[in-house]
C-alpha cells in the first residue's frame, strides 16, 4: 500500500449505511482505492441526511461528505442484468468488497458469500449488518438503536428503572465499520494461504462480544451486571459525572490513593472524616447520590478549567465534559492535528482524522469530497473497457 | 515458528504485550484470537489491575484487592484469553536485556503505559528499532505520545468527556447524565489499535518495513463524533442530553413494555415500516392519523407519537411483541441485559459466548469475537494464562537460557 501503483482496490455498496461507508473511509485513509457504487439518480440516501450549511452551497450533506472523502463514485443499477454484469466485472478487478445488504438482497443479486467465493476466489468480501449474514435474525430489519438494545449497551445507559438510552450519534455504526475493516485486513493477511474469504460482521454481536462481553464472566456467579446507574458507573465510588460552576466534570477516583489525594485537593472538608464517608463500598452501593451532593458543594465553587488544573497538578483523572465547540478549540487536539480539513461547498470544515499517528504514514488517495452521483462513472467504466456507444446505451437504459 | 496452531490470519506473528488494564489487552486479545502468539509480560511485583479486585469463586474480596488471588479475576480471564504469560520484571537490568532479546525475535511490541514509561525502561522506540528495524511498535495512551496535555491521567469515561460524547447522554430537557456502564472509551480504542496494527503488519508483508504507531484514546473517542462536529460547524448547534432522538428515523425510541423493567427499541425509516408498526400494535388506523401520516408529520409531532406508541407497547409482553413486529418487517429489539443476551438465540448461535477450560477455575464462559471469517476464523483456543506459564517456553526455548540461568533469575526476582 506504500506504492500507489500497488493500492488495494475496494468496491463498496453502502447506500444508507454509515457502517459500510465508514469501513470504506477507514480503508481509503489507509491507502485503498475505493469505488463507491450508488443507485442511479439521487445516489446514496446519506447524501440527503445533512447537516447542510446555511449557504446551501453543497449538494451533499456534511456527514456523507466526510464519510466518502477520497472515494470515486459510480452510479450503477445492479438489479438490472447489464448492471449486475458490470458489477461482477468491477469485482473481478478488486481485492476487497464491502456491503450492507441483507442476506436475501445479497443472494438476489449474486453477492452472497458462497456465490462470491465461487466467482471471485481471491476476493475478500465483507458484509456489515445489524444481525449478520446468517443466524436466526439474519434479514430482520435492524437500525443502530436495535443493535445497541440487543447488544446489552442500552440497558446500561440512563437512570435505574427508567427509559434506557441508546448511545448518541449512532456510534455503533462507526464501531461496526472499524470491526469490518479489521476483519478485512485479517483476511488480506491470509490471502496468500487461503485465497479470498467472507467476513461477516453483526453490529449486535459486536456490542455483545467487545463492549459488554465482560458481563458474561460474572453472570453465572453474581447475576446480572451492567445495569444503568444514572450519572455513575458501577464500581468503587466516585465514578461519576458531577456538576461544577460552569458545566460538568467526569470524576474518576476509584483507586484509594486517588480518592485520598482528591480529598486533600478539596482541603479535607469535615464530612470526609466521618465514618459514613470512609466506607466506599457503602457509598457505591447505598448512597452515591448523597455523596454526589457533598462533592458538588465543592465542585460548584470552581470552573471546569480550574478543577481540571487542580486535578492535573495532582495527577488525578478528573476531566471536564467538553461541549462540541470546546472540543474543536482544544489546544491539545489542535497541537496533535487531530482534525483534517474538508472542503465542502464554499467553506472548510474540521473533521477527525484516524485516531493514530503512523510512521511511516499511509498514503491515502486525494481527500476531496465526492461530487454529484455518477461523476466518476465514465472513468471507472473506461477502466473496464466500456465506452462510446455502449456507455450511451447504458445511460439510456438507466443502468448507470 | 510460534506456539499457536497454524492458520489463523496472524499465524506466525509474535507479539510482545506490555499492555495492562483494558484498552491495550482488548486489542492484543483481538490479535491473539486471529492466531498471533501474544506473550504478555507481567510480574508479581506489579500485577495488572485486572488481576486484582473481586475474585468470583473464592469470595474474599479484601484478599483479591490485595493481589492474593491473581488467577481468579473474571475481567482478566476475558481480556487475556489466548495469551501466554512471562513474568519478567522490566524494572531490572537483566529483565530489560531479556525483553530486548525477545523483541529481537518478535514482530510486534505493544504497550499502553503513560507516554515516556517505555523509554524510561530502555524499551522505547529507538532501543527496539535498533534491535529489529522491522518491528511494528505500538503505543496506546490516553492523549497520545506527545502534545501539551500528554501528561494527563485518563480513564475510559474521561476520554469520552473530553471528546464531547458524555455531554450528549441524558434525558431531553435535563442535565446530562454523562455515563454508560461499558468502558466504551477503552473498548473503542482497542478496536482502532487492532486496525492500526493489522494495517502495519499487512504493509510490512509487502514492504519489509516496520512502523511506530501512536494511538490516542481521546482521538479514538473523537472519531465517532463527526456528525456532531459538523452539526456545530455547519448549523451552530451545541447539543446536550439528546435522549434517543435520531436525525432521520421517527419513531425512534426505547418503549416500555408490560411487566417491570421491560423495554423495546423500535425504529421506523419508511412509510411501509410505519404502516406495519401500526398494524403490529393493533391500530392500523393510527397510520393515517393526521398527526403522523408522513415522515415530516411524525417528526413534528414526535412527543405525541411516542406517547401513542408507548400507550400500546405497555400493554404487550416484550418477547411476543418483538416477534410480531419483526415478522412484519419492523425494526424492533428488546433491551437486553446479560441474562437476556445469554438466552438470546442470535448470540448463542453466532458464538458470542464461548466456553474455555481454565486450569484453576475449570470450565468458564467468556466472550468471543465480533466477526466471522469463513476460512480462517478467529478462535478462542485457550483460557487466560496463569502467571508465568510461558516462562519455560520463552526463556528456555525461545531465548536459549539454561535451567541454571533461569534458576538464578528466579532467585534474583528478575523472573517473578
Amino acid at each position: 500500500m506504500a506504492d500507489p501503483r500497488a493500492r488495494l482496490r475496494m468496491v463498496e455498496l453502502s447506500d444508507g449505511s454509515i457502517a459500510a461507508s465508514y469501513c470504506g473511509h477507514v480503508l481509503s485513509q489507509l491507502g485503498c482505492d475505493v469505488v463507491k457504487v450508488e443507485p442511479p439518480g439521487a445516489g446514496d440516501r446519506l447524501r440527503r441526511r445533512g447537516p447542510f450549511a446555511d449557504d446551501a452551497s453543497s449538494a451533499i450533506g456534511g456527514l456523507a461528505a466526510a464519510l466518502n472523502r477520497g472515494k470515486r463514485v459510480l452510479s450503477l443499477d445492479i438489479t438490472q442484468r447489464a448492471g449486475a454484469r458490470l458489477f461482477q466485472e468491477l469485482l473481478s478487478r478488486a481485492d476487497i468488497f464491502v456491503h450492507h445488504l441483507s442476506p436475501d438482497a445479497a443472494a438476489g443479486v449474486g453477492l452472497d458469500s458462497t456465490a462470491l467465493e465461487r466467482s471471485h476466489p481471491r476476493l475478500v468480501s465483507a458484509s456489515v449488518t445489524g444481525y449478520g449474514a446468517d443466524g436466526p435474525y439474519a434479514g430482520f430489519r435492524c437500525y443502530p438503536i436495535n443493535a445497541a438494545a440487543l447488544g446489552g449497551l442500552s440497558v446500561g445507559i440512563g437512570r435505574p428503572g427508567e427509559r434506557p438510552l441508546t448511545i448518541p450519534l449512532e456510534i455503533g455504526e462507526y464501531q461496526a465499520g472499524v470491526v469490518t475493516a479489521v476483519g478485512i485486513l485479517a483476511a488480506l493477511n491470509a490471502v496468500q494461504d487461503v485465497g479470498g474469504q467472507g467476513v461477516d460482521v453483526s453490529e449486535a454481536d459486536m456490542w455483545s462480544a467487545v463492549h459488554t462481553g465482560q458481563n458474561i464472566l460474572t453472570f453465572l456467579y453474581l447475576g446480572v451486571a451492567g445495569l444503568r446507574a444514572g450519572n455513575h458507573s458501577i464500581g468503587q465510588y466516585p465514578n461519576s459525572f458531577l456538576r461544577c460552576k460552569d458545566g460538568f466534570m467526569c470524576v474518576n477516583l476509584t483507586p484509594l490513593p486517588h480518592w485520598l489525594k482528591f480529598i486533600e485537593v478539596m482541603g479535607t472538608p469535615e464530612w470526609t472524616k466521618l465514618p459514613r464517608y470512609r466506607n466506599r463500598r457503602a457509598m457505591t452501593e447505598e448512597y452515591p447520590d448523597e455523596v454526589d451532593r457533598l462533592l458538588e458543594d465543592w465542585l460548584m465553587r470552581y470552573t471546569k478549567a480550574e478543577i481540571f488544573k487542580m486535578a492535573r497538578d495532582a495527577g488525578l483523572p478528573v476531566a471536564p465534559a467538553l461541549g462540541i465547540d470546546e472540543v474543536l478549540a482544544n489546544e491539545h487536539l489542535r497541537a496533535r492535528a487531530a482534525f483534517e480539513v474538508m472542503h465542502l461547498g464554499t467553506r472548510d470544515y474540521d473533521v477527525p482524522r484516524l485516531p493514530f499517528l503512523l510512521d511511516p504514514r499511509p498514503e491515502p488517495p486525494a481527500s476531496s469530497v465526492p461530487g454529484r452521483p455518477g461523476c466518476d462513472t465514465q472513468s471507472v467504466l473506461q477502466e473496464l473497457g466500456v465506452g462510446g456507444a455502449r456507455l450511451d446505451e447504458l445511460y439510456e437504459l438507466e443502468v448507470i | 515458528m510460534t506456539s499457536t496452531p497454524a492458520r489463523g490470519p496472524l499465524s506466525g506473528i509474535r507479539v510482545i504485550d506490555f499492555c495492562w488494564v483494558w484498552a491495550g489487552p482488548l486489542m492484543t486479545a483481538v490479535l491473539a484470537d486471529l492466531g498471533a502468539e501474544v506473550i504478555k509480560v507481567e510480574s508479581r511485583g506489579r500485577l495488572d489491575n485486572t488481576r486484582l479486585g473481586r475474585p468470583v469463586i473464592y469470595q474474599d474480596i479484601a484478599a483479591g484487592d490485595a493481589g492474593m488471588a491473581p488467577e481468579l479475576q473474571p475481567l482478566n480471564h476475558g481480556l487475556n484469553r489466548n495469551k501466554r504469560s512471562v513474568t519478567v520484571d522490566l524494572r531490572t537490568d537483566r529483565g530489560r536485556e531479556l525483553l530486548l532479546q525477545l523483541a529481537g525475535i518478535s514482530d510486534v511490541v505493544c504497550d499502553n503505559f503513560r507516554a515516556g514509561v517505555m523509554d524510561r525502561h530502555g524499551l522505547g522506540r529507538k532501543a527496539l528499532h535498533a534491535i529489529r528495524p522491522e518491528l511494528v511498535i505500538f503505543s496506546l495512551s490516553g492523549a497520545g505520545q506527545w502534545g501539551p496535555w500528554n501528561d494527563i491521567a485518563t480513564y475510559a469515561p474521561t476520554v469520552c468527556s473530553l471528546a464531547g460524547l458524555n455531554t450528549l447522554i441524558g434525558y431531553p430537557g435535563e442535565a446530562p447524565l454523562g455515563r454508560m456502564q461499558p468502558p466504551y472509551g477503552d473498548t473503542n480504542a482497542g478496536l482502532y489499535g487492532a486496525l492500526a496494527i493489522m494495517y502495519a503488519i499487512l504493509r510490512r508483508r509487502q514492504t519489509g518495513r516496520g512502523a511506530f504507531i501512536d494511538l490516542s484514546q481521546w482521538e479514538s473517542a473523537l472519531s465517532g463524533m463527526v456528525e456532531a462536529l459538523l452539526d456545530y460547524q455547519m448549523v451552530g448547534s451545541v447539543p446536550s442530553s439528546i435522549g434517543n432522538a435520531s436525525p432521520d428515523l421517527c419513531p425512534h425510541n426505547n418503549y416500555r413494555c408490560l411487566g417491570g423493567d421491560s423495554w423495546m427499541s423500535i425504529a421506523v425509516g419508511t412509510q411501509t415500516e410505519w404502516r406495519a408498526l401500526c398494524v403490529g400494535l393493533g391500530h392500523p388506523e393510527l397510520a393515517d392519523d393526521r398527526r403522523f401520516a408522513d415522515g415530516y408529520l411524525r417528526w413534528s409531532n414526535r412527543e405525541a407519537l411516542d406517547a401513542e406508541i408507548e400507550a400500546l407497547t405497555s400493554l404487550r409482553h416484550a418477547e411476543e411483541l418483538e416477534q410480531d413486529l419483526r415478522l412484519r418487517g419492523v425494526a424492533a429489539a428488546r433491551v437486553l441485559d446479560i441474562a437476556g443476551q445469554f438466552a438470546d438465540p442470535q448470540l448463542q448461535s453466532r458464538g458470542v459466548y464461548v466456553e474455555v477450560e481454565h486450569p484453576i477455575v475449570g470450565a468458564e464462559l467468556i466472550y468471543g469475537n465480533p466477526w466471522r471469517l469463513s476460512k480462517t476464523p478467529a478462535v478462542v483456543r485457550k483460557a487466560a494464562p496463569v502467571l508465568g506459564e510461558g516462562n519455560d517456553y520463552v526463556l528456555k526455548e525461545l531465548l536459549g537460557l539454561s535451567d541454571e540461568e533461569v534458576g538464578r533469575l528466579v532467585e534474583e526476582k528478575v523472573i517473578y
Side-chain angles (χ1 to χ4, degrees), chain A residues 55 62 101 129 159 196 237 246 260 263 267 353 369-370:
Chain A
D55 63 358
L101 302 175
T129 57
R159 277 192 292 265
Y237 187 90
D246 63 343
L260 295 176
I263 288 174
R353 58 157 168 74
V369 304

PDB file of all heavy atoms in Angstrom, chain A residues 55 62 101 129 159 196 237 246 260 263 267 353 369-370:
ATOM      1  N   ASP A  55     -25.615  28.211   3.749  1.00  0.00           N
ATOM      2  CA  ASP A  55     -25.495  28.764   2.398  1.00  0.00           C
ATOM      3  C   ASP A  55     -25.927  27.774   1.315  1.00  0.00           C
ATOM      4  O   ASP A  55     -25.902  28.087   0.136  1.00  0.00           O
ATOM      5  CB  ASP A  55     -24.055  29.259   2.140  1.00  0.00           C
ATOM      6  CG  ASP A  55     -23.040  28.114   2.201  1.00  0.00           C
ATOM      7  OD1 ASP A  55     -23.425  26.973   2.473  1.00  0.00           O
ATOM      8  OD2 ASP A  55     -21.837  28.376   1.969  1.00  0.00           O
ATOM      9  N   GLY A  62     -23.137  17.089   5.082  1.00  0.00           N
ATOM     10  CA  GLY A  62     -21.839  17.062   5.736  1.00  0.00           C
ATOM     11  C   GLY A  62     -21.358  15.670   6.085  1.00  0.00           C
ATOM     12  O   GLY A  62     -20.202  15.312   5.863  1.00  0.00           O
ATOM     13  N   LEU A 101     -25.896  -5.311   2.552  1.00  0.00           N
ATOM     14  CA  LEU A 101     -27.159  -5.912   2.113  1.00  0.00           C
ATOM     15  C   LEU A 101     -27.600  -7.018   3.064  1.00  0.00           C
ATOM     16  O   LEU A 101     -26.774  -7.730   3.625  1.00  0.00           O
ATOM     17  CB  LEU A 101     -26.993  -6.501   0.714  1.00  0.00           C
ATOM     18  CG  LEU A 101     -26.555  -5.526  -0.374  1.00  0.00           C
ATOM     19  CD1 LEU A 101     -26.302  -6.276  -1.677  1.00  0.00           C
ATOM     20  CD2 LEU A 101     -27.596  -4.442  -0.576  1.00  0.00           C
ATOM     21  N   THR A 129     -23.945  -5.821   8.850  1.00  0.00           N
ATOM     22  CA  THR A 129     -25.388  -5.662   9.023  1.00  0.00           C
ATOM     23  C   THR A 129     -25.700  -5.671  10.518  1.00  0.00           C
ATOM     24  O   THR A 129     -24.827  -5.933  11.336  1.00  0.00           O
ATOM     25  CB  THR A 129     -26.155  -6.822   8.367  1.00  0.00           C
ATOM     26  OG1 THR A 129     -25.691  -8.050   8.943  1.00  0.00           O
ATOM     27  CG2 THR A 129     -25.953  -6.861   6.866  1.00  0.00           C
ATOM     28  N   ARG A 159     -31.257   6.239  33.861  1.00  0.00           N
ATOM     29  CA  ARG A 159     -31.471   6.054  35.291  1.00  0.00           C
ATOM     30  C   ARG A 159     -32.084   4.686  35.551  1.00  0.00           C
ATOM     31  O   ARG A 159     -32.824   4.161  34.726  1.00  0.00           O
ATOM     32  CB  ARG A 159     -32.387   7.157  35.828  1.00  0.00           C
ATOM     33  CG  ARG A 159     -31.653   8.453  36.164  1.00  0.00           C
ATOM     34  CD  ARG A 159     -32.548   9.398  36.946  1.00  0.00           C
ATOM     35  NE  ARG A 159     -33.640   9.902  36.118  1.00  0.00           N
ATOM     36  CZ  ARG A 159     -33.617  11.061  35.464  1.00  0.00           C
ATOM     37  NH1 ARG A 159     -32.552  11.839  35.540  1.00  0.00           N
ATOM     38  NH2 ARG A 159     -34.650  11.432  34.747  1.00  0.00           N
ATOM     39  N   GLY A 196      -9.320 -15.704  -1.206  1.00  0.00           N
ATOM     40  CA  GLY A 196     -10.282 -14.787  -0.625  1.00  0.00           C
ATOM     41  C   GLY A 196     -11.182 -15.496   0.372  1.00  0.00           C
ATOM     42  O   GLY A 196     -11.147 -16.718   0.508  1.00  0.00           O
ATOM     43  N   TYR A 237     -16.908   4.015  44.378  1.00  0.00           N
ATOM     44  CA  TYR A 237     -17.274   5.431  44.314  1.00  0.00           C
ATOM     45  C   TYR A 237     -16.024   6.257  44.528  1.00  0.00           C
ATOM     46  O   TYR A 237     -15.202   5.911  45.363  1.00  0.00           O
ATOM     47  CB  TYR A 237     -18.313   5.739  45.398  1.00  0.00           C
ATOM     48  CG  TYR A 237     -18.853   7.133  45.280  1.00  0.00           C
ATOM     49  CD1 TYR A 237     -19.983   7.395  44.512  1.00  0.00           C
ATOM     50  CD2 TYR A 237     -18.201   8.193  45.893  1.00  0.00           C
ATOM     51  CE1 TYR A 237     -20.457   8.686  44.360  1.00  0.00           C
ATOM     52  CE2 TYR A 237     -18.672   9.490  45.747  1.00  0.00           C
ATOM     53  CZ  TYR A 237     -19.803   9.728  44.985  1.00  0.00           C
ATOM     54  OH  TYR A 237     -20.267  11.014  44.822  1.00  0.00           O
ATOM     55  N   ASP A 246     -19.460  25.930  35.940  1.00  0.00           N
ATOM     56  CA  ASP A 246     -19.844  26.288  34.569  1.00  0.00           C
ATOM     57  C   ASP A 246     -20.096  25.064  33.687  1.00  0.00           C
ATOM     58  O   ASP A 246     -19.988  25.144  32.472  1.00  0.00           O
ATOM     59  CB  ASP A 246     -18.776  27.191  33.933  1.00  0.00           C
ATOM     60  CG  ASP A 246     -17.436  26.480  33.797  1.00  0.00           C
ATOM     61  OD1 ASP A 246     -17.240  25.443  34.461  1.00  0.00           O
ATOM     62  OD2 ASP A 246     -16.584  26.955  33.031  1.00  0.00           O
ATOM     63  N   LEU A 260      -8.075   9.560  48.143  1.00  0.00           N
ATOM     64  CA  LEU A 260      -7.487  10.274  49.284  1.00  0.00           C
ATOM     65  C   LEU A 260      -6.806  11.563  48.825  1.00  0.00           C
ATOM     66  O   LEU A 260      -6.900  12.601  49.481  1.00  0.00           O
ATOM     67  CB  LEU A 260      -6.498   9.363  50.013  1.00  0.00           C
ATOM     68  CG  LEU A 260      -7.112   8.123  50.682  1.00  0.00           C
ATOM     69  CD1 LEU A 260      -6.033   7.234  51.300  1.00  0.00           C
ATOM     70  CD2 LEU A 260      -8.138   8.523  51.748  1.00  0.00           C
ATOM     71  N   ILE A 263      -9.375  14.211  48.194  1.00  0.00           N
ATOM     72  CA  ILE A 263      -9.850  14.792  49.457  1.00  0.00           C
ATOM     73  C   ILE A 263      -8.913  15.909  49.901  1.00  0.00           C
ATOM     74  O   ILE A 263      -9.343  16.984  50.329  1.00  0.00           O
ATOM     75  CB  ILE A 263      -9.973  13.694  50.543  1.00  0.00           C
ATOM     76  CG1 ILE A 263     -11.171  12.801  50.229  1.00  0.00           C
ATOM     77  CG2 ILE A 263     -10.130  14.305  51.932  1.00  0.00           C
ATOM     78  CD1 ILE A 263     -11.324  11.598  51.150  1.00  0.00           C
ATOM     79  N   GLY A 267      -9.157  20.240  50.245  1.00  0.00           N
ATOM     80  CA  GLY A 267      -8.885  20.863  51.542  1.00  0.00           C
ATOM     81  C   GLY A 267      -9.440  20.066  52.712  1.00  0.00           C
ATOM     82  O   GLY A 267      -9.715  20.628  53.779  1.00  0.00           O
ATOM     83  N   ARG A 353      -9.323  13.070  11.946  1.00  0.00           N
ATOM     84  CA  ARG A 353      -8.530  12.111  11.179  1.00  0.00           C
ATOM     85  C   ARG A 353      -8.611  10.776  11.922  1.00  0.00           C
ATOM     86  O   ARG A 353      -9.189  10.690  13.010  1.00  0.00           O
ATOM     87  CB  ARG A 353      -7.069  12.573  11.073  1.00  0.00           C
ATOM     88  CG  ARG A 353      -6.380  12.792  12.397  1.00  0.00           C
ATOM     89  CD  ARG A 353      -4.853  12.683  12.287  1.00  0.00           C
ATOM     90  NE  ARG A 353      -4.206  13.169  13.511  1.00  0.00           N
ATOM     91  CZ  ARG A 353      -4.191  12.508  14.659  1.00  0.00           C
ATOM     92  NH1 ARG A 353      -4.784  11.329  14.769  1.00  0.00           N
ATOM     93  NH2 ARG A 353      -3.577  13.021  15.721  1.00  0.00           N
ATOM     94  N   VAL A 369     -14.048  15.659  -1.255  1.00  0.00           N
ATOM     95  CA  VAL A 369     -15.368  15.061  -1.069  1.00  0.00           C
ATOM     96  C   VAL A 369     -15.916  14.632  -2.438  1.00  0.00           C
ATOM     97  O   VAL A 369     -15.555  15.213  -3.452  1.00  0.00           O
ATOM     98  CB  VAL A 369     -16.359  16.032  -0.383  1.00  0.00           C
ATOM     99  CG1 VAL A 369     -15.797  16.514   0.935  1.00  0.00           C
ATOM    100  CG2 VAL A 369     -16.728  17.197  -1.269  1.00  0.00           C
ATOM    101  N   PRO A 370     -16.761  13.601  -2.468  1.00  0.00           N
ATOM    102  CA  PRO A 370     -17.260  13.158  -3.767  1.00  0.00           C
ATOM    103  C   PRO A 370     -18.140  14.212  -4.413  1.00  0.00           C
ATOM    104  O   PRO A 370     -18.779  15.016  -3.742  1.00  0.00           O
ATOM    105  CB  PRO A 370     -18.092  11.910  -3.426  1.00  0.00           C
ATOM    106  CG  PRO A 370     -18.386  12.006  -1.988  1.00  0.00           C
ATOM    107  CD  PRO A 370     -17.319  12.827  -1.355  1.00  0.00           C
TER     108      PRO A 370
END
